[in-house]
Amino acid sequence: MTLSETEMLRKDLLVLVAVSVLLIWTMYAALGLSHHSLSPFSTRNHSQPVLKPKQTNVVFLKTHKTGSSTMQNLMFRFAERHNLTVAFPKKECGYMFCYPRSFNTRFVHPGTLPANIITHHMRFNHAEVRRLMPNNTVYITILREPASMFESMFAYFKETCEIFKKAPSLEAFMEEPQLYYQPNEPNKGSVAARNCLTFDLGGDKDRPATDAAYVRDFLAKVDRSFSLVMIAEHFDESLVLLRRLLSWDFDDVLYVKQNMRTAGSKRTSLAPGLASKMRAWNSLDVQLYDHFNASLWRKLAALGPALVAEELRLLRQAQERLMQSCFGERKLQLRSAKQIKDTKLRPYLNDNNVDIVGYDLPDNVSHDGSSSQKVQKLCLRLITPELQYSDLLRDRETSGGKSTFT
């Protein structure tokens, strides 16, 4: 082989290598992956390139009875693992930002500023939140099908919402809702009783749904404010979009469900007539949900079904590895909160008879934090209820402590 032929062959090989590298990078870019994103317990290897830095300034608007407690736990874990600051409500506001009042920066605990993450209940006020958060903050929220959500609201708040308390049953309430409903009922009553999603997002829950101009403007306003509106019924698909939007890894979006009702407290199904009445009563929420459910599927379609299917496969594969690493051959057992003796793991119970499920601490996880293994800490945090996790992070932040994950 002549020298010129050897040189040409070398150039051809270099071109082939370059094309191969480009194809690999293209595949990773299409999936939004980095080398470490396939393992739920991976440690970053800084010798490998990352396509985009992770988004660390995020507002997750926590809405009522939508699966938002599961998302809040996910946000807490991300903040803790990356040593970020979560903005917490001041003491007088409890665990919400003085809800149902419209959000104001005065409602934030000063010891939890400047903030990277907001993830507690509030009545959304975009102008006020923007005063608090960096300019590159990404805004996210979650919605749930309104009839299913309203049934859950009625069951959960039956004894604490005066409007619901007056009605002998959900069926009786829906037969004549105006007989019980008072728009200005104190103590959050009217908030729970009609168009709660609209109210949480800063809208007028009592605006007639026939006011097409108002509905159009409100939907446009929510569209401008939020980069992603998740849908509870399509939680994993929503996480596909979330992960790509924030450039997070799969281990950042793993979860176990939080704050669910026990099976015995749920209706197995809703009569068609009852569901229709609930949707008509919450018609603003229905228009909100339908709009963003369609938007979610347009975004997924833009990615392509093959790519979405692969993302879901990888997500669920990572989820299975997480369960195996945390609990081994044991299946994670849901237990009634009343059966959980460890108060650090017992979900909050309100004054209703509705019971909430939680998780017992598996034997292979250290509760006192003595283990240095990140896996064990992650497993514990996964099953820590929202109020206890809030207390842990708030106390650490206000005392100047650092995350044990870093």
Side-chain angles (χ1 to χ4, degrees):
M1 183 178 293
T2 66
L3 183 61
S4 60
E5 290 173 332
T6 302
E7 182 64 16
M8 289 178 64
L9 179 60
R10 186 180 71 83
K11 289 180 179 179
D12 288 342
L13 287 173
L14 287 174
V15 169
L16 180 61
V17 170
V19 170
S20 300
V21 170
L22 180 60
L23 287 173
I24 292 171
W25 272 101
T26 302
M27 179 188 72
Y28 271 59
L31 290 174
L33 303 177
S34 57
H35 72 287
H36 50 270
S37 61
L38 300 183
S39 169
F41 303 112
S42 58
T43 302
R44 282 186 176 276
N45 180 347
H46 292 285
S47 65
Q48 297 290 332
V50 178
L51 295 178
K52 289 198 303 184
K54 293 184 181 183
Q55 172 62 247
T56 55
N57 297 317
V58 182
V59 169
F60 172 69
L61 176 63
K62 191 174 189 289
T63 49
H64 286 81
K65 313 310 293 178
T66 59
S68 62
S69 294
T70 301
M71 268 299 298
Q72 185 186 59
N73 180 277
L74 186 155
M75 298 296 295
F76 279 164
R77 283 183 283 117
F78 182 83
E80 189 175 10
R81 289 177 62 212
H82 296 86
N83 207 29
L84 304 174
T85 301
V86 178
F88 282 88
K90 64 182 183 180
K91 186 176 180 180
E92 306 92 281
C93 291
Y95 293 93
M96 303 182 184
F97 288 106
C98 287
Y99 187 90
R101 296 164 63 186
S102 183
F103 177 81
N104 190 288
T105 56
R106 294 183 288 103
F107 300 159
V108 182
H109 193 303
T112 63
L113 295 174
N116 303 105
I117 303 285
I118 294 180
T119 183
H120 285 80
H121 283 298
M122 68 166 73
R123 187 175 188 211
F124 189 61
N125 181 336
H126 198 184
E128 281 293 298
V129 176
R130 287 179 62 186
R131 289 180 57 196
L132 196 71
M133 298 299 291
N135 290 334
N136 69 339
T137 298
V138 175
Y139 292 76
I140 298 160
T141 191
I142 186 169
L143 306 178
R144 179 181 175 185
E145 195 283 313
S148 172
M149 175 185 160
F150 193 77
E151 184 276 329
S152 181
M153 295 282 284
F154 188 91
Y156 191 79
F157 294 109
K158 177 67 173 74
E159 299 303 323
T160 55
C161 169
E162 289 299 322
I163 292 173
F164 290 158
K165 199 184 252 188
K166 297 172 188 174
S169 66
L170 175 59
E171 286 79 2
F173 180 87
M174 292 316 310
E175 193 64 34
E176 294 185 274
Q178 296 291 359
L179 182 64
Y180 306 100
Y181 181 71
Q182 297 295 327
N184 298 315
E185 180 78 38
N187 301 321
K188 308 175 189 176
S190 67
V191 173
R194 191 176 199 188
N195 289 316
C196 187
L197 290 173
T198 298
F199 183 86
D200 284 356
L201 283 159
D204 180 355
K205 63 183 175 57
D206 294 306
R207 183 66 67 107
T210 54
D211 188 342
Y214 175 79
V215 172
R216 182 178 61 252
D217 291 345
F218 178 64
L219 293 177
K221 183 178 180 180
V222 177
D223 253 326
R224 290 193 301 270
S225 298
F226 292 89
S227 296
L228 175 63
V229 176
M230 303 173 66
I231 298 296
E233 289 79 12
H234 309 294
F235 193 77
D236 284 358
E237 289 85 355
S238 296
L239 288 180
V240 168
L241 296 175
L242 175 82
R243 196 187 74 79
R244 295 170 62 83
L245 173 67
L246 302 179
S247 298
W248 286 7
D249 302 329
F250 281 105
D251 36 324
D252 295 322
V253 296
L254 303 181
Y255 66 93
V256 297
K257 293 182 179 180
Q258 297 277 343
N259 207 33
M260 296 185 300
R261 287 184 291 166
T262 55
S265 68
K266 296 180 181 180
R267 292 173 180 246
T268 55
S269 63
L270 293 175
L274 182 61
S276 297
K277 289 176 182 177
M278 287 190 285
R279 286 177 66 86
W281 177 245
N282 296 281
S283 56
L284 291 176
D285 279 3
V286 168
Q287 294 186 70
L288 185 70
Y289 176 86
D290 289 349
H291 175 85
F292 285 103
N293 185 40
S295 174
L296 178 90
W297 288 102
R298 283 196 300 272
K299 291 179 179 181
L300 291 167
L303 293 180
L307 192 151
V308 172
E310 178 66 2
E311 286 262 309
L312 289 172
R313 185 188 70 80
L314 292 171
L315 172 64
R316 289 160 183 165
Q317 185 181 78
Q319 194 88 358
E320 289 175 7
R321 286 201 300 270
L322 170 65
M323 294 296 104
Q324 181 68 28
S325 298
C326 282
F327 311 115
E329 297 304 317
R330 291 182 54 186
K331 296 293 184 181
L332 185 59
Q333 297 295 317
L334 289 170
R335 300 200 182 279
S336 163
K338 297 173 182 177
Q339 297 174 333
I340 299 175
K341 296 180 179 180
D342 189 340
T343 57
K344 293 181 180 179
L345 294 176
R346 185 187 303 149
Y348 170 74
L349 291 171
N350 66 5
D351 296 331
N352 292 337
N353 294 322
V354 176
D355 201 0
I356 301 299
V357 293
Y359 305 92
D360 273 329
L361 183 68
D363 295 334
N364 61 333
V365 178
S366 171
H367 197 352
D368 60 8
S370 59
S371 171
S372 61
Q373 295 184 21
K374 293 182 180 180
V375 172
Q376 291 185 335
K377 293 182 187 298
L378 173 60
C379 296
L380 176 59
R381 297 294 191 262
L382 271 169
I383 61 174
T384 300
E386 58 181 301
L387 302 191
Q388 291 90 323
Y389 209 156
S390 288
D391 290 341
L392 184 154
L393 289 184
R394 184 193 59 238
D395 292 348
R396 178 180 295 156
E397 288 181 19
T398 55
S399 65
K402 296 294 183 182
S403 167
T404 57
F405 283 95
T406 56

PDB file of all heavy atoms in Angstrom, residues 153-169:
ATOM      1  N   MET A 153     -62.222  15.464  46.354  1.00  0.00           N
ATOM      2  CA  MET A 153     -62.351  16.660  47.194  1.00  0.00           C
ATOM      3  C   MET A 153     -63.504  16.506  48.175  1.00  0.00           C
ATOM      4  O   MET A 153     -63.378  16.820  49.369  1.00  0.00           O
ATOM      5  CB  MET A 153     -62.584  17.888  46.313  1.00  0.00           C
ATOM      6  CG  MET A 153     -61.443  18.267  45.404  1.00  0.00           C
ATOM      7  SD  MET A 153     -60.105  19.135  46.225  1.00  0.00           S
ATOM      8  CE  MET A 153     -60.804  20.753  46.415  1.00  0.00           C
ATOM      9  N   PHE A 154     -64.639  16.016  47.683  1.00  0.00           N
ATOM     10  CA  PHE A 154     -65.818  15.879  48.538  1.00  0.00           C
ATOM     11  C   PHE A 154     -65.540  14.885  49.663  1.00  0.00           C
ATOM     12  O   PHE A 154     -65.882  15.138  50.827  1.00  0.00           O
ATOM     13  CB  PHE A 154     -67.019  15.428  47.706  1.00  0.00           C
ATOM     14  CG  PHE A 154     -68.318  15.457  48.467  1.00  0.00           C
ATOM     15  CD1 PHE A 154     -69.118  16.595  48.457  1.00  0.00           C
ATOM     16  CD2 PHE A 154     -68.738  14.343  49.192  1.00  0.00           C
ATOM     17  CE1 PHE A 154     -70.311  16.627  49.169  1.00  0.00           C
ATOM     18  CE2 PHE A 154     -69.925  14.369  49.898  1.00  0.00           C
ATOM     19  CZ  PHE A 154     -70.722  15.511  49.895  1.00  0.00           C
ATOM     20  N   ALA A 155     -64.906  13.773  49.329  1.00  0.00           N
ATOM     21  CA  ALA A 155     -64.614  12.762  50.347  1.00  0.00           C
ATOM     22  C   ALA A 155     -63.615  13.285  51.374  1.00  0.00           C
ATOM     23  O   ALA A 155     -63.793  13.102  52.580  1.00  0.00           O
ATOM     24  CB  ALA A 155     -64.074  11.499  49.673  1.00  0.00           C
ATOM     25  N   TYR A 156     -62.587  13.962  50.893  1.00  0.00           N
ATOM     26  CA  TYR A 156     -61.509  14.385  51.785  1.00  0.00           C
ATOM     27  C   TYR A 156     -61.931  15.547  52.686  1.00  0.00           C
ATOM     28  O   TYR A 156     -61.550  15.616  53.856  1.00  0.00           O
ATOM     29  CB  TYR A 156     -60.282  14.782  50.962  1.00  0.00           C
ATOM     30  CG  TYR A 156     -59.033  14.990  51.796  1.00  0.00           C
ATOM     31  CD1 TYR A 156     -58.294  13.895  52.232  1.00  0.00           C
ATOM     32  CD2 TYR A 156     -58.600  16.256  52.159  1.00  0.00           C
ATOM     33  CE1 TYR A 156     -57.155  14.067  52.999  1.00  0.00           C
ATOM     34  CE2 TYR A 156     -57.472  16.442  52.924  1.00  0.00           C
ATOM     35  CZ  TYR A 156     -56.753  15.341  53.344  1.00  0.00           C
ATOM     36  OH  TYR A 156     -55.630  15.511  54.117  1.00  0.00           O
ATOM     37  N   PHE A 157     -62.728  16.472  52.147  1.00  0.00           N
ATOM     38  CA  PHE A 157     -63.093  17.669  52.904  1.00  0.00           C
ATOM     39  C   PHE A 157     -64.529  17.627  53.434  1.00  0.00           C
ATOM     40  O   PHE A 157     -65.051  18.648  53.868  1.00  0.00           O
ATOM     41  CB  PHE A 157     -62.912  18.915  52.027  1.00  0.00           C
ATOM     42  CG  PHE A 157     -61.485  19.200  51.658  1.00  0.00           C
ATOM     43  CD1 PHE A 157     -61.038  19.014  50.349  1.00  0.00           C
ATOM     44  CD2 PHE A 157     -60.586  19.640  52.610  1.00  0.00           C
ATOM     45  CE1 PHE A 157     -59.722  19.283  50.010  1.00  0.00           C
ATOM     46  CE2 PHE A 157     -59.262  19.906  52.279  1.00  0.00           C
ATOM     47  CZ  PHE A 157     -58.828  19.731  50.982  1.00  0.00           C
ATOM     48  N   LYS A 158     -65.139  16.445  53.428  1.00  0.00           N
ATOM     49  CA  LYS A 158     -66.559  16.346  53.794  1.00  0.00           C
ATOM     50  C   LYS A 158     -66.844  16.926  55.179  1.00  0.00           C
ATOM     51  O   LYS A 158     -67.858  17.600  55.388  1.00  0.00           O
ATOM     52  CB  LYS A 158     -66.991  14.875  53.750  1.00  0.00           C
ATOM     53  CG  LYS A 158     -68.452  14.631  54.178  1.00  0.00           C
ATOM     54  CD  LYS A 158     -69.432  15.231  53.172  1.00  0.00           C
ATOM     55  CE  LYS A 158     -70.875  14.854  53.479  1.00  0.00           C
ATOM     56  NZ  LYS A 158     -71.430  15.580  54.635  1.00  0.00           N
ATOM     57  N   GLU A 159     -65.972  16.703  56.153  1.00  0.00           N
ATOM     58  CA  GLU A 159     -66.238  17.147  57.522  1.00  0.00           C
ATOM     59  C   GLU A 159     -65.565  18.462  57.862  1.00  0.00           C
ATOM     60  O   GLU A 159     -65.763  18.979  58.965  1.00  0.00           O
ATOM     61  CB  GLU A 159     -65.794  16.060  58.509  1.00  0.00           C
ATOM     62  CG  GLU A 159     -66.517  14.735  58.343  1.00  0.00           C
ATOM     63  CD  GLU A 159     -68.030  14.868  58.457  1.00  0.00           C
ATOM     64  OE1 GLU A 159     -68.479  15.681  59.287  1.00  0.00           O
ATOM     65  OE2 GLU A 159     -68.749  14.179  57.709  1.00  0.00           O
ATOM     66  N   THR A 160     -64.771  19.001  56.981  1.00  0.00           N
ATOM     67  CA  THR A 160     -64.080  20.264  57.274  1.00  0.00           C
ATOM     68  C   THR A 160     -64.549  21.412  56.397  1.00  0.00           C
ATOM     69  O   THR A 160     -64.266  22.568  56.701  1.00  0.00           O
ATOM     70  CB  THR A 160     -62.551  20.091  57.102  1.00  0.00           C
ATOM     71  OG1 THR A 160     -62.273  19.580  55.794  1.00  0.00           O
ATOM     72  CG2 THR A 160     -61.994  19.130  58.137  1.00  0.00           C
ATOM     73  N   CYS A 161     -65.233  21.111  55.326  1.00  0.00           N
ATOM     74  CA  CYS A 161     -65.799  22.136  54.447  1.00  0.00           C
ATOM     75  C   CYS A 161     -67.279  22.284  54.779  1.00  0.00           C
ATOM     76  O   CYS A 161     -68.059  21.331  54.624  1.00  0.00           O
ATOM     77  CB  CYS A 161     -65.608  21.742  52.986  1.00  0.00           C
ATOM     78  SG  CYS A 161     -66.523  22.748  51.803  1.00  0.00           S
ATOM     79  N   GLU A 162     -67.670  23.458  55.253  1.00  0.00           N
ATOM     80  CA  GLU A 162     -69.051  23.660  55.698  1.00  0.00           C
ATOM     81  C   GLU A 162     -70.059  23.424  54.576  1.00  0.00           C
ATOM     82  O   GLU A 162     -71.161  22.938  54.807  1.00  0.00           O
ATOM     83  CB  GLU A 162     -69.211  25.077  56.260  1.00  0.00           C
ATOM     84  CG  GLU A 162     -68.513  25.293  57.595  1.00  0.00           C
ATOM     85  CD  GLU A 162     -69.043  24.382  58.690  1.00  0.00           C
ATOM     86  OE1 GLU A 162     -70.274  24.144  58.708  1.00  0.00           O
ATOM     87  OE2 GLU A 162     -68.246  23.895  59.500  1.00  0.00           O
ATOM     88  N   ILE A 163     -69.696  23.757  53.366  1.00  0.00           N
ATOM     89  CA  ILE A 163     -70.591  23.549  52.222  1.00  0.00           C
ATOM     90  C   ILE A 163     -70.862  22.065  52.014  1.00  0.00           C
ATOM     91  O   ILE A 163     -72.006  21.632  51.850  1.00  0.00           O
ATOM     92  CB  ILE A 163     -69.995  24.184  50.961  1.00  0.00           C
ATOM     93  CG1 ILE A 163     -69.980  25.711  51.098  1.00  0.00           C
ATOM     94  CG2 ILE A 163     -70.759  23.765  49.712  1.00  0.00           C
ATOM     95  CD1 ILE A 163     -69.269  26.426  49.976  1.00  0.00           C
ATOM     96  N   PHE A 164     -69.803  21.255  52.041  1.00  0.00           N
ATOM     97  CA  PHE A 164     -69.968  19.817  51.885  1.00  0.00           C
ATOM     98  C   PHE A 164     -70.666  19.194  53.091  1.00  0.00           C
ATOM     99  O   PHE A 164     -71.429  18.236  52.963  1.00  0.00           O
ATOM    100  CB  PHE A 164     -68.610  19.150  51.668  1.00  0.00           C
ATOM    101  CG  PHE A 164     -67.973  19.435  50.337  1.00  0.00           C
ATOM    102  CD1 PHE A 164     -66.606  19.288  50.161  1.00  0.00           C
ATOM    103  CD2 PHE A 164     -68.734  19.850  49.256  1.00  0.00           C
ATOM    104  CE1 PHE A 164     -66.009  19.535  48.930  1.00  0.00           C
ATOM    105  CE2 PHE A 164     -68.155  20.108  48.022  1.00  0.00           C
ATOM    106  CZ  PHE A 164     -66.781  19.953  47.864  1.00  0.00           C
ATOM    107  N   LYS A 165     -70.378  19.747  54.256  1.00  0.00           N
ATOM    108  CA  LYS A 165     -70.932  19.190  55.489  1.00  0.00           C
ATOM    109  C   LYS A 165     -72.464  19.246  55.503  1.00  0.00           C
ATOM    110  O   LYS A 165     -73.129  18.383  56.077  1.00  0.00           O
ATOM    111  CB  LYS A 165     -70.364  19.968  56.681  1.00  0.00           C
ATOM    112  CG  LYS A 165     -70.462  19.252  58.012  1.00  0.00           C
ATOM    113  CD  LYS A 165     -69.962  20.177  59.129  1.00  0.00           C
ATOM    114  CE  LYS A 165     -68.640  19.710  59.619  1.00  0.00           C
ATOM    115  NZ  LYS A 165     -68.211  20.464  60.836  1.00  0.00           N
ATOM    116  N   LYS A 166     -73.012  20.254  54.857  1.00  0.00           N
ATOM    117  CA  LYS A 166     -74.477  20.424  54.838  1.00  0.00           C
ATOM    118  C   LYS A 166     -75.162  19.362  53.988  1.00  0.00           C
ATOM    119  O   LYS A 166     -76.351  19.074  54.187  1.00  0.00           O
ATOM    120  CB  LYS A 166     -74.829  21.805  54.286  1.00  0.00           C
ATOM    121  CG  LYS A 166     -74.327  22.967  55.120  1.00  0.00           C
ATOM    122  CD  LYS A 166     -74.563  24.288  54.373  1.00  0.00           C
ATOM    123  CE  LYS A 166     -73.912  25.455  55.085  1.00  0.00           C
ATOM    124  NZ  LYS A 166     -74.034  26.705  54.284  1.00  0.00           N
ATOM    125  N   ALA A 167     -74.428  18.809  53.025  1.00  0.00           N
ATOM    126  CA  ALA A 167     -75.032  17.844  52.109  1.00  0.00           C
ATOM    127  C   ALA A 167     -74.928  16.429  52.675  1.00  0.00           C
ATOM    128  O   ALA A 167     -73.861  16.024  53.132  1.00  0.00           O
ATOM    129  CB  ALA A 167     -74.336  17.908  50.751  1.00  0.00           C
ATOM    130  N   PRO A 168     -76.008  15.660  52.642  1.00  0.00           N
ATOM    131  CA  PRO A 168     -75.953  14.292  53.176  1.00  0.00           C
ATOM    132  C   PRO A 168     -75.057  13.354  52.361  1.00  0.00           C
ATOM    133  O   PRO A 168     -74.566  12.359  52.891  1.00  0.00           O
ATOM    134  CB  PRO A 168     -77.414  13.834  53.143  1.00  0.00           C
ATOM    135  CG  PRO A 168     -78.109  14.749  52.197  1.00  0.00           C
ATOM    136  CD  PRO A 168     -77.380  16.043  52.236  1.00  0.00           C
ATOM    137  N   SER A 169     -74.844  13.666  51.102  1.00  0.00           N
ATOM    138  CA  SER A 169     -74.016  12.810  50.251  1.00  0.00           C
ATOM    139  C   SER A 169     -73.566  13.597  49.029  1.00  0.00           C
ATOM    140  O   SER A 169     -74.084  14.692  48.747  1.00  0.00           O
ATOM    141  CB  SER A 169     -74.802  11.576  49.799  1.00  0.00           C
ATOM    142  OG  SER A 169     -75.869  11.966  48.934  1.00  0.00           O
TER     143      SER A 169
END
